[in-house]
Amino acid sequence: GDSVTQMEGPVTLSEEAFLTINCTYTATGYPSLFWYVQYPGEGLQLLLKATKADDKGSNKGFEATYRKETTSFHLEKGSVQVSDSAVYFCAQGGNTDKLIFGTGTRLQVFP
Amino acid sequence: DAGVIQSPRHEVTEMGQEVTLRCKPISGHNSLFWYRQTMMRGLELLIYFNNNVPIDDSGMPEDRFSAKMPNASFSTLKIQPSEPRDSAVYFCASTYRGRGAEAFFGQGTRLTVV
């Protein structure tokens, strides 16, 4: 069935380091792909998305490119900040509304 | 808009009791989701509704769980009887159906069954 696999955390970085969180998916058809972020004590909120192959989603310095050939949607940021510490979820959505999430990756950024 | 509103924010109950979680989606949205989040299993989709009709409830763990959406502005998730393994954070999310549509999440209900 459809699924999302993302790297396990926690990912621990120093401020201003480069971030990559890997995400791959399996799907029938061509889903939309999303990254959501969850700050402590809050619900998930959309960080960025891409709806077709080769699209790049970007927001707040984060980027991810929809790679159909590798079924991937890796999240990157060139220089992380302490305020980026959160749990990041990769997700896919098909032609229905059903959103399938990965298990989440906790990011910890230290000054 | 106030966003997706869930109540209560925290619930502590004894094993065997009935628990009802409530959700008010964003006005105008026509799809609603219930998720459960635990450390062990991550974020699991329990059920989702489209235009108030349950579309997929394959994630509902067992008959003790039931969900209703009597109208476009209200949904409930009920657990009867509750068990300690039901302890988790339960999220409600809503969206307007369409490719690439963003789902908006509530702040969740933290349920503890003792």
Side-chain angles (χ1 to χ4, degrees), chain B residues 75-101:
Chain B
S75 177
T76 59
L77 178 68
K78 185 178 293 186
I79 307 173
Q80 165 65 13
S82 57
E83 297 182 2
R85 61 193 168 119
D86 302 329
S87 298
V89 181
Y90 291 81
F91 288 103
C92 175
S94 72
T95 187
Y96 187 81
R97 184 174 188 174
R99 182 170 177 80

Side-chain angles (χ1 to χ4, degrees), chain B residues 7-75:
Chain B
S7 63
R9 288 293 310 277
H10 302 274
E11 176 80 34
V12 180
T13 191
E14 292 186 346
M15 184 173 61
Q17 296 298 306
E18 177 180 296
V19 175
T20 300
L21 311 181
R22 297 174 175 79
C23 175
K24 176 177 167 46
I26 291 173
S27 177
H29 283 185
N30 58 3
S31 291
L32 182 140
F33 309 82
W34 282 101
Y35 288 90
R36 177 172 68 177
Q37 185 177 36
T38 62
M39 290 292 292
M40 293 294 293
R41 295 187 298 271
L43 197 64
E44 304 171 277
L45 176 63
L46 300 178
I47 185 171
Y48 81 94
F49 296 84
N50 185 252
N51 292 326
N52 313 336
V53 176
I55 302 300
D56 184 347
D57 65 354
S58 59
M60 296 286 263
E62 49 198 272
D63 292 345
R64 297 184 298 107
F65 285 68
S66 62
K68 294 182 180 179
M69 192 164 186
N71 57 61
S73 59
F74 185 65
S75 177

Side-chain angles (χ1 to χ4, degrees), chain A residues 57-77:
Chain A
S58 61
N59 186 25
K60 300 180 182 180
F62 291 88
E63 294 183 339
T65 301
Y66 191 141
R67 302 286 189 199
K68 188 175 71 173
E69 62 276 11
T70 54
T71 62
S72 65
F73 193 54
H74 304 322
L75 182 68
E76 296 182 336
K77 186 175 186 183

Side-chain angles (χ1 to χ4, degrees), chain A residues 30 36 38 49 51 97-98, chain B residues 31 37 56 97 99-100 103:
Chain A
Y30 303 101
Y36 281 78
Q38 184 181 29
K49 69 178 183 183
T51 58
D97 309 306
K98 187 173 179 177
Chain B
S31 291
Q37 185 177 36
D56 184 347
R97 184 174 188 174
R99 182 170 177 80

